[in-house]
Amino acid sequence: MRAPSEYEDVGRFLAWAARPKETPARNEELHRLVRRYYEDSDFAAAVDGVFAGAGLDVSVDERDGIIATARTHSPLRLTVADVSKRAPQAHRALLGAVILAVARTVYPDPAMIDDPDRIAVFTTQSVVDTLDRVAQSLAENSADDSDIDDDLIEAWRRWSDLSPARPNARRRSTGDRPGIVVRVCKILVEAGFLTAKGDADGGVWAARPRFRYAVGALCDDSELFRLVNGLAGGSGNASEEDTA
């Protein structure tokens, strides 16, 4: 059998980067490509060049596989607008805030983003609590002479307008706060960033390693994560570490 050429394998490498749920342990070809990236410097340079040309940063790990994150200018970048385009109009302003709150809950200390061995487990309710604290903080600081952006205040007002969870509700509604958090977490599961672990406290979720890379990229090119981190500070127990 003819061995794959370098060009073919670069294409396969890019294709596997678009399958965020796959790992080398689960697929022989992906394992081969990751091994080649580590062992063949010319191949690694070719991969890095193609990804850089597409506006992508690539991280290759023997355990986690190929993790690509798009730079701000990349045409392959997935924006919050892309994620929210199917959401009801009233919810679109909230989805970005919920994603940031998930990041804040998973990484309450920014130094945790640099820890490759940390696997954080969190609940839907912990994200709701984070957003509630942010909304309350903004409400307390939104006086007429405040320098907080009006659009930002309006976004958090939309969160406050959502109803809390209905007691003993068997089905989660996107019309309440836990419901919209679950909706966002399911989107992140489908994208390969989270894993669903259970139903306690509205849902239990584990952050996958590629979520750490994505949050790192977010911190590099956005002030929003820093803003949420500051407003929701002082809640060091918002996230749990999975020691299993």
Side-chain angles (χ1 to χ4, degrees), residues 35-244:
R35 189 174 67 249
R36 183 173 184 182
Y37 184 89
Y38 273 102
E39 296 175 355
D40 185 340
S41 59
D42 290 338
F43 174 69
V47 167
D48 292 345
V50 169
F51 274 68
L56 299 172
D57 291 320
V58 62
S59 177
V60 184
D61 186 90
E62 291 178 311
R63 179 187 62 184
D64 304 322
I66 304 166
I67 301 173
T69 53
R71 300 171 190 164
T72 303
H73 68 276
S74 174
L76 301 177
R77 186 177 179 88
L78 181 67
T79 66
V80 173
D82 296 323
V83 173
S84 65
K85 61 185 176 183
R86 294 184 180 180
Q89 181 68 34
H91 290 171
R92 292 181 186 177
L94 298 176
L95 295 186
V98 174
I99 292 172
L100 290 167
V102 170
R104 167 64 178 82
T105 305
V106 173
Y107 303 109
D109 183 340
M112 295 175 179
I113 299 173
D114 297 323
D115 182 358
D117 297 320
R118 185 175 190 277
I119 302 176
V121 175
F122 67 97
T123 66
T124 295
Q125 188 57 49
S126 64
V127 178
V128 171
D129 291 343
T130 294
L131 287 162
D132 284 346
R133 285 192 295 272
V134 174
Q136 180 61 34
S137 176
L138 281 168
E140 293 172 353
N141 292 283
S142 59
D144 292 342
D145 59 349
S146 172
D147 60 358
I148 300 175
D149 184 83
D150 289 343
D151 290 338
L152 181 62
I153 294 173
E154 180 59 28
W156 293 114
R157 282 175 179 161
R158 289 180 180 272
W159 170 261
S160 299
D161 288 342
L162 289 173
S163 62
R166 294 171 296 160
N168 303 318
R170 294 190 176 185
R171 297 185 63 185
R172 186 64 63 204
S173 167
T174 54
D176 62 32
R177 295 175 194 175
I180 198 166
V181 171
V182 168
R183 177 187 178 91
V184 169
C185 286
K186 286 182 176 179
I187 291 172
L188 295 174
V189 167
E190 288 302 311
F193 293 116
L194 304 179
T195 301
K197 304 289 286 185
D199 298 321
D201 287 332
V204 181
W205 318 88
R208 298 187 64 199
R210 64 182 59 250
F211 189 60
R212 182 174 67 86
Y213 288 94
V215 173
L218 176 69
C219 291
D220 284 342
D221 65 18
S222 175
E223 292 293 304
L224 292 175
F225 180 76
R226 185 184 62 79
L227 174 63
V228 171
N229 224 19
L231 289 173
S235 57
N237 59 356
S239 180
E240 301 175 2
E241 184 134 3
D242 182 7
T243 57

